[in-house]
Amino acid sequence: MNGTTAKFLNGIENSRVKLAEILNNRNVEAESGEPLEDLVEKTARIHGGVEFGEWVPTVNTDIFTIGGLEFLPYKIGLSCEALFGQTFYGNAVNNYVSLFSANSGEGTDSIYIGNQSELKFGNVPPKSTVTVTQESDGSYTVKVDFSNYNLTSGVPYYFKSGYKYMWVTATKEWSL
């Protein structure tokens, strides 16, 4: 192998390692030993770092799921303006989520809820979970789940049916 070819191949190798580093910095999992072709394909998963949308549950539910995210989410927020300041009456006493915010591993999760006679803001209840999973296609799914908490709680937490929730999820670099 002549010097020009060796220099060219070393340049490609250095670029492959650098590309893996850039992908990881953009929250796309990559290994420096992956083939260059695979790393190039992963560049399609580089995203601006924020997704948002609307969701209207058809029944009261204690689980919210959003999938197909092309970046590793670090933060999630949900809000339902129509529930702010609402008082609910009836036989069942439920906490309806009006505002929810969680940051991965920071312990700064918070929730604003309305129930039969009061509104309150506080910490997310124990036994509730926010999980992030990577799917086989490389995309991510975020799930907010109050079902374990609701099994033992006298006043369960729900997302209220028929009400529009706005959701946003972002990478660590974004501020919500």
Side-chain angles (χ1 to χ4, degrees), residues 23-49:
L23 287 167
N24 281 308
N25 288 338
R26 297 292 183 136
N27 295 311
V28 177
E29 291 183 24
E31 303 278 335
S32 61
E34 287 184 62
L36 181 60
E37 297 81 15
D38 293 350
L39 295 172
V40 169
E41 287 296 318
K42 287 184 176 188
T43 62
R45 287 195 255 153
I46 295 175
H47 194 275

Side-chain angles (χ1 to χ4, degrees), residues 105-116:
E106 288 186 7
T108 57
D109 302 350
S110 57
I111 193 166
Y112 183 72
I113 52 112
N115 65 23
Q116 197 171 37

Side-chain angles (χ1 to χ4, degrees), residues 97-170:
V97 177
S98 302
L99 181 66
F100 176 84
S101 171
N103 297 319
S104 180
E106 288 186 7
T108 57
D109 302 350
S110 57
I111 193 166
Y112 183 72
I113 52 112
N115 65 23
Q116 197 171 37
S117 61
E118 65 181 312
L119 291 171
K120 55 187 172 185
F121 186 77
N123 294 328
V124 172
K127 297 183 186 173
S128 62
T129 59
V130 177
T131 56
V132 176
T133 55
Q134 187 172 25
E135 306 302 333
S136 60
D137 66 358
S139 68
Y140 294 90
T141 298
V142 178
K143 182 177 178 181
V144 178
D145 187 349
F146 297 113
S147 61
N148 285 336
Y149 172 78
N150 289 347
L151 289 174
T152 59
S153 171
V155 183
Y157 283 69
Y158 289 106
F159 298 102
K160 187 153 179 54
S161 71
Y163 282 72
K164 180 173 68 174
Y165 285 83
M166 303 297 291
W167 61 266
V168 63
T169 187

Side-chain angles (χ1 to χ4, degrees), residues 1-14:
M1 182 172 6
N2 67 34
T4 303
T5 304
K7 186 176 179 181
F8 177 75
L9 292 174
N10 283 336
I12 290 175
E13 175 61 19
N14 291 338

